Amino acid sequence: MTALKAAVIGCGDVSAVHLEAITKLDGVRLAAVCDTDPGRLAAAVAAHGVPGFSDHASLIEAVGPDVVHITTPHNTHAAIAADCLGRGVNVIVEKPLAHTLEEGRRLVAAAKASDAKIAVCFQNRYNATAQAMHALLSSGELGAVVGASATVMWHRDADYYRSRPWRGTWAGGGGGLMMNQAIHTVDLLQWLVGDVVSLSGHAATRFLGDTIEVEDTAEFVAEHANGVRSAFYATLANAVNAPVTLDIVTEKATLSLRGDLTVSHADGRVDVVPERVVESGGRAYWGVSHELLIADFYSRLGEAGHFWIDPEEAEKSLRIVKEIYRQSYPDALDEVS
C-alpha cells in the first residue's frame, strides 16, 4: 500500500510535536516542509531530509500531500487551511481556529463546502483525565452537574514574546493569554459542562504591558445551556506553570483535575485517574495527546463525515474568548474581534 504523504506548514516551536507524531504513524511519510523564514526552513529540511518550500501553494502543487499540518502564527491559520481544503487536501491545524471571528466563520464555511477533512488541535480532549470526565458525566451516574470552575496559573516572561513578536499583538495572535494558552482549558470547560450561552468577563494586561499589547490575565463567569454556572480565572503572572485546575461538582460527586483526576463520591469513595506522562524530551511540555489526536485523524480519513473536532466545534471556544475581548475593549472592537 502506498504511504500517505504528510507535509508540515510552519516550522516553529509546536511543529516539532507534529513532526514527531508523523514519524510514529504506520503508512504515513513526511513528504515536505514549509516556512517563510529561510533559517527555520533550512533547519527543517536538513533535519528531515525532505523538500522545503517558502509557500504552501507551491508545496501542494509540487508534492500533492494527502494531509497538511498547519503550525503557523494564528493570523495565517484560517487562510491557509481554507485554501488547502479548497484544493481537496486534508488539514490538521493548530489552535486557535482563527485570529478573528470573521476568519473563523470563513473556515467553518470552507470546511462544510469541502470533501476533505479538517481537525483543529484541541488535543487536551484526548487526555486520559478529560476522556474519563466526559465518560462519567455523559453516563449520568454522577447525577446532574451543579457547577464548575477552572484556573490556568502559568508563567510567561518578556523573552517569550520577544522570540516570536506576533504572539504579543492583536494583528498576529488575535489575543494573548486566552488565545494562546488558556483556550485549551476554555475548550475543555465548555465541552465537559455544555455550550456557553452567556458570560460576563474581563481581560487585562497586568504585568507585561511594556512588552505586549494583548492581555496576560483574564476571568469570566459563564452560563451554560443546561443552566449550570462556571467560573474561570487565568494569568501568566504566576511564578511557575502550575497544573491547570478544573473542578466539576455534580449531585453525587466532585471531579477535580490537577494533573491527575480525583473523583470524590458522596458516599466516601475516591477514584483516581492518572494522566499519561511523557517522561522526557522537548515534547514533554505538551504531553502525549497531540500524538493521539493526530493518529486518530489519520485513522478516520476513510470514514464519511467530518472529524469530531472540526472548525464548527472549535469556533465555540473562539467565540467565548472574543466575547471576553468585546466586553473588555469596547473602544477597540475592530481590532480585537
Side-chain angles (χ1 to χ4, degrees):
M1 224 169 79
T2 304
L4 294 173
K5 291 183 288 185
V8 173
I9 302 172
C11 300
D13 296 342
V14 78
S15 68
V17 182
H18 290 256
L19 288 161
E20 185 174 349
I22 290 168
T23 66
K24 293 184 176 182
L25 291 171
D26 292 332
V28 179
R29 68 176 179 88
L30 180 67
V33 292
C34 177
D35 202 290
T36 57
D37 182 276
R40 283 200 299 269
L41 180 60
V45 168
H48 301 284
V50 296
F53 298 84
S54 60
D55 70 275
H56 74 275
S58 297
L59 183 155
I60 292 171
E61 290 170 6
V63 176
D66 298 288
V67 180
V68 297
H69 297 239
I70 300 172
T71 58
T72 56
H74 296 173
N75 62 339
T76 63
H77 284 185
I80 296 173
D83 187 50
C84 291
L85 290 171
R87 297 168 184 264
V89 180
N90 300 295
V91 173
I92 300 175
V93 61
E94 270 296 329
K95 59 75 191 166
L97 174 68
H99 74 304
T100 67
L101 285 173
E102 182 179 3
E103 287 293 289
R105 286 191 290 267
R106 288 177 182 170
L107 186 49
V108 169
K112 290 181 177 179
S114 177
D115 291 331
K117 290 185 183 295
I118 176 172
V120 184
C121 284
F122 284 109
Q123 72 279 354
N124 288 354
R125 294 192 187 191
Y126 284 80
N127 291 355
T129 49
Q131 290 283 309
M133 293 174 85
H134 193 269
L136 284 168
L137 294 169
S138 299
S139 72
E141 65 183 273
L142 302 183
V145 174
V146 176
S149 63
T151 67
V152 181
M153 301 288 289
W154 282 6
H155 175 79
R156 294 292 184 275
D157 58 19
D159 287 342
Y160 169 82
Y161 289 98
R162 290 175 184 140
S163 69
R164 298 285 189 273
W166 63 267
R167 290 171 173 158
T169 67
W170 293 109
L177 155 76
M178 293 302 293
M179 286 286 276
N180 208 25
Q181 287 89 24
I183 195 168
H184 283 295
T185 309
V186 171
D187 176 68
L188 285 183
L189 185 64
Q190 66 84 27
W191 179 55
L192 293 169
V193 178
D195 289 351
V196 170
V197 294
S198 67
L199 65 83
S200 176
H202 186 74
T205 312
R206 300 296 189 196
F207 83 110
L208 285 168
D210 60 346
T211 306
I212 62 176
E213 63 184 29
V214 294
E215 88 290 355
D216 57 36
T217 302
E219 51 79 22
F220 66 81
V221 173
E223 298 292 332
H224 298 259
N226 52 10
V228 173
R229 182 174 66 250
S230 65
F232 185 95
Y233 178 80
T235 186
L236 297 177
N238 204 32
V240 297
N241 290 320
V244 166
T245 75
L246 178 54
D247 294 329
I248 299 178
V249 180
T250 73
E251 293 173 320
K252 299 180 180 179
T254 298
L255 295 80
S256 296
L257 175 66
R258 286 169 180 56
D260 297 336
L261 170 65
T262 301
V263 183
S264 302
H265 298 269
D267 62 10
R269 290 180 296 122
V270 176
D271 298 322
V272 176
V273 178
E275 188 51 81
R276 304 181 189 92
V277 176
V278 179
E279 294 185 359
S280 62
R283 193 168 58 86
Y285 182 82
W286 288 285
V288 73
S289 294
H290 258 105
E291 184 178 313
L292 298 174
L293 183 152
I294 291 167
D296 191 31
F297 180 79
Y298 277 88
S299 74
R300 295 171 183 259
L301 286 178
E303 298 178 359
H306 296 289
F307 188 69
W308 72 289
I309 312 177
D310 64 359
E312 189 168 25
E313 185 68 16
E315 189 182 27
K316 295 176 182 179
S317 57
L318 181 63
R319 288 188 176 279
I320 292 169
V321 171
K322 290 298 187 177
E323 176 59 19
I324 297 166
Y325 293 162
R326 187 190 70 79
Q327 295 180 18
S328 304
Y329 307 101
D331 296 329
L333 294 182
D334 289 342
E335 188 174 30
V336 304
S337 64

